[in-house]
Amino acid sequence: MSTTISAVIFDLDGTLIDSSESILDAYRAAFLSAGQEPVIPLDSSIIGPPLQQTLQQLAGEGDDEVVTNLAQAFMQHYDNLGYLKTQVFDGVDALLRDSQSAGYRLLIATNKRIRPTRLILEHLRWTDLFQEAYALDAFEPRLPSKAELIDRILMLHQLQAADCLYVGDRDEDRLAAQACDVPFFCARWGYGLSSTEAGNPAHPSVEGISWLRRLLGI
């Protein structure tokens, strides 16, 4: 176990799981049910931000009723069938189990809604690996950003920022960790940061999970 890190906080989509097929399928189902076409391509680049934010971009309009109806159709499809298509990135299951065995406290901070997050953890038999999974909508009122989510996790678990590691795959993850003074590790096996940010030596990137294993000493 690393002598400086005691807790590892993970992003979910694009970091631990490849949810692209399941999420994109749910977006297609939502737009099909509404008889609409998304105004931007449905590909993995849209995965990561909160559902409402992404739907507003895909719908290309600010009509709250349209976005609400699309969100309801998305959730109905994803929470019943879509999440079952979730794939685990190679090596992640062993990474999590070995990290827990080594004594690390494992947590999740995700933009994904809390209901499908818990469904996925149960489906993958990961529930017991994490002390807790947190999402923006796990709190009332809903938290506005991932940075505030990480900050809330630190407070709830009485963690010092310097003793944690946040593992994510997007610019938003890097910036959220930076805002909370939490060291960040880029999951380059996932959807990935922009090439500019990935090349920043202050935020190490990896081509494989073995680099993260080495950092954690497992």
Side-chain angles (χ1 to χ4, degrees):
M1 180 173 178
S2 169
T3 57
T4 58
I5 300 169
S6 61
V8 186
I9 307 171
F10 289 96
D11 174 46
L12 187 58
D13 292 317
T15 299
L16 299 180
I17 59 172
D18 182 355
S19 52
S20 56
E21 180 182 355
S22 59
I23 289 176
L24 295 177
D25 185 58
Y27 279 128
R28 292 188 195 99
F31 277 89
L32 181 63
S33 71
Q36 293 181 246
E37 290 287 337
V39 300
I40 60 175
L42 287 173
D43 57 38
S44 62
S45 67
I46 68 170
I47 298 174
L51 176 61
Q52 294 280 345
Q53 178 182 330
T54 302
L55 283 172
Q56 287 172 350
Q57 294 175 333
L58 291 171
E61 56 183 284
D63 190 319
D64 290 343
E65 184 177 356
V66 169
V67 173
T68 297
N69 290 339
L70 286 169
Q72 290 175 343
F74 176 98
M75 290 186 288
Q76 181 177 5
H77 182 87
Y78 191 80
D79 294 3
N80 287 281
L81 295 172
Y83 80 92
L84 295 172
K85 295 183 179 180
T86 299
Q87 300 294 313
V88 179
F89 286 115
D90 289 344
V92 162
D93 186 82
L95 168 71
L96 294 175
R97 296 184 187 281
D98 291 346
S99 297
Q100 185 196 50
S101 295
Y104 288 103
R105 302 171 66 180
L106 306 183
L107 300 116
I108 286 177
T110 178
N111 282 332
K112 194 180 218 63
R113 293 173 297 113
I114 194 63
R115 172 173 164 74
T117 294
R118 289 172 175 162
L119 288 171
I120 288 169
L121 294 182
E122 182 178 357
H123 174 61
L124 298 177
R125 299 182 181 178
W126 282 359
T127 303
D128 293 340
L129 295 179
F130 294 94
Q131 288 197 341
E132 189 57 81
Y134 294 98
L136 301 180
D137 69 341
F139 300 92
E140 183 61 43
R142 175 191 175 94
L143 297 181
S145 69
K146 186 169 281 186
E148 293 200 34
L149 179 60
I150 294 174
D151 189 60
R152 185 70 62 90
I153 290 172
L154 297 180
M155 180 188 69
L156 289 173
H157 290 266
Q158 299 182 323
L159 294 168
Q160 298 298 313
D163 297 332
C164 300
L165 184 69
Y166 187 57
V167 182
D169 69 305
R170 302 178 67 90
D171 288 348
E172 179 202 26
D173 299 325
R174 177 186 64 82
L175 293 171
Q178 185 179 56
C180 299
D181 295 321
V182 173
F184 175 72
F185 196 83
C186 174
R188 292 295 295 165
W189 59 84
Y191 305 140
L193 296 175
S194 69
S195 58
T196 299
E197 299 298 347
N200 185 340
H203 305 284
S205 62
V206 299
E207 296 298 330
I209 287 176
S210 60
W211 286 73
L212 181 53
R213 282 184 166 276
R214 186 179 306 172
L215 177 64
L216 297 176
I218 58 173

